[in-house]
Amino acid sequence: MSSREVVALSVGGVRFVTWASTLQQFPESRLAQMLNGNDREFKLVNGEFFVDRDGALFSYIMDFLRTLQISLPTDFSDYQRLQREAEFYGLYPLADLLSQEHLLKPRLEILEVRFSLHEMQAFFRIFGSCSSTVEALAEQITVFTGQQSGQSWNSPFPSQKPLVPLPLERPSHHDVVFQCGTEYSAADQFVARYVSIKPDNRKLINGTNVLGLLLDTLLKDGFHLISTRTVTSDENVECYSFERMKRPAGLTITVNQTPGSSGVAQARRSQVQKGK
């Protein structure tokens, strides 16, 4: 059969149409042998190959053959069943990868926001169990500083003087620290710090407003607020705890193969794009 010939399959009653070359990705697999008429498990009925297997799981098999990557939903749980299907079709590189569930299963991420107010300043500390998530969030946050005269820290209008971006404090890969508000310097001058969180382009100086925008950003990113508590009443430190289920950032499962081989499974991490 020509590699550019269109092939139709009915898997458990679910119809799939693809190129013959897609099914021939692994020449030793049963799907490749099917095209040669060498596997009696597959029946040719009215021009379509029929096999009595799980059609829903076969959609993941087809995606793997087309991309040589594994892409599973966050709530996927049928690893053993999919592995069994991969073994049935003779796709052993895929079966080997599915046996390594720790690479594929989503993981629980915990993120904590601590917020405190001291006179005209607000202080923030964000701690996350996943360093790449904290890194991505830090890239969204920019603190600007500048001097202004006789303005309240609640003023919604930044000083007309150019604002200078400040680097965020990164005590470790898992946390980030920043502040906003004003502090008195001298000669009726105030040093002001504004916070901007992408994609919102506002520069906010009021700590409560910054907190609201930060929490809204985390909720839009898939986090769920699970608890709020006061850490120390004397220092008025509030703690907001979040969690979400997420696959490892930048994890791509691929198969390296050479023509005529059955393929060698390999897991690697791709470059995480900035701002993601």
Side-chain angles (χ1 to χ4, degrees), residues 140-176:
Q140 292 179 253
I141 301 172
T142 305
V143 177
F144 299 89
T145 185
Q147 287 191 339
Q148 53 188 18
S149 303
Q151 293 186 15
S152 166
W153 82 301
N154 286 315
S155 171
F157 304 105
S159 167
Q160 296 300 314
K161 297 180 181 180
L163 297 177
V164 179
L166 290 176
L168 301 181
E169 294 182 47
R170 297 297 307 277
S172 75
H173 293 297
H174 289 273
D175 55 354
V176 58

Side-chain angles (χ1 to χ4, degrees), residues 248-268:
L251 179 64
T252 302
I253 307 299
T254 62
V255 169
N256 294 335
Q257 64 175 33
T258 57
S261 71
S262 59
V264 177
Q266 182 182 37
R268 64 178 178 85

Side-chain angles (χ1 to χ4, degrees), residues 7-104:
V7 180
L9 300 91
S10 177
V11 183
V14 182
R15 191 169 186 265
F16 297 88
V17 180
T18 186
W19 295 112
S21 58
T22 300
L23 301 176
Q24 293 168 340
Q25 287 279 13
F26 299 90
E28 298 177 6
S29 71
R30 297 184 73 175
L31 291 171
Q33 297 300 316
M34 170 193 75
L35 300 181
N36 300 327
N38 296 332
D39 196 316
R40 296 183 178 181
E41 190 77 30
F42 299 85
K43 304 295 183 182
L44 191 59
V45 180
N46 298 325
E48 295 185 3
F49 289 98
F50 174 80
V51 62
D52 190 17
R53 304 295 295 189
D54 191 307
L57 291 178
F58 190 73
S59 64
Y60 300 116
I61 301 283
M62 283 302 307
D63 184 60
F64 171 77
L65 291 173
R66 288 167 175 152
T67 65
L68 296 183
Q69 297 181 0
I70 297 179
S71 179
L72 299 173
T74 303
D75 59 352
F76 186 83
S77 60
D78 288 337
Y79 295 95
Q80 291 184 348
R81 290 183 61 213
L82 184 55
Q83 180 182 351
R84 186 170 65 241
E85 293 301 295
E87 291 172 347
F88 170 82
Y89 292 109
L91 296 170
Y92 297 108
L94 175 58
D96 290 342
L97 291 175
L98 290 167
S99 68
Q100 304 177 56
E101 293 184 23
H102 65 282
L103 293 176
L104 303 172

Side-chain angles (χ1 to χ4, degrees), residues 148 150-160 163 181-182 192-195 200-207 209-210:
Q148 53 188 18
Q151 293 186 15
S152 166
W153 82 301
N154 286 315
S155 171
F157 304 105
S159 167
Q160 296 300 314
L163 297 177
T182 60
R193 285 186 176 86
Y194 300 85
V195 173
D200 194 299
N201 59 6
R202 291 174 297 169
K203 294 180 175 65
L204 304 176
I205 196 172
N206 183 288
N209 293 341
V210 173

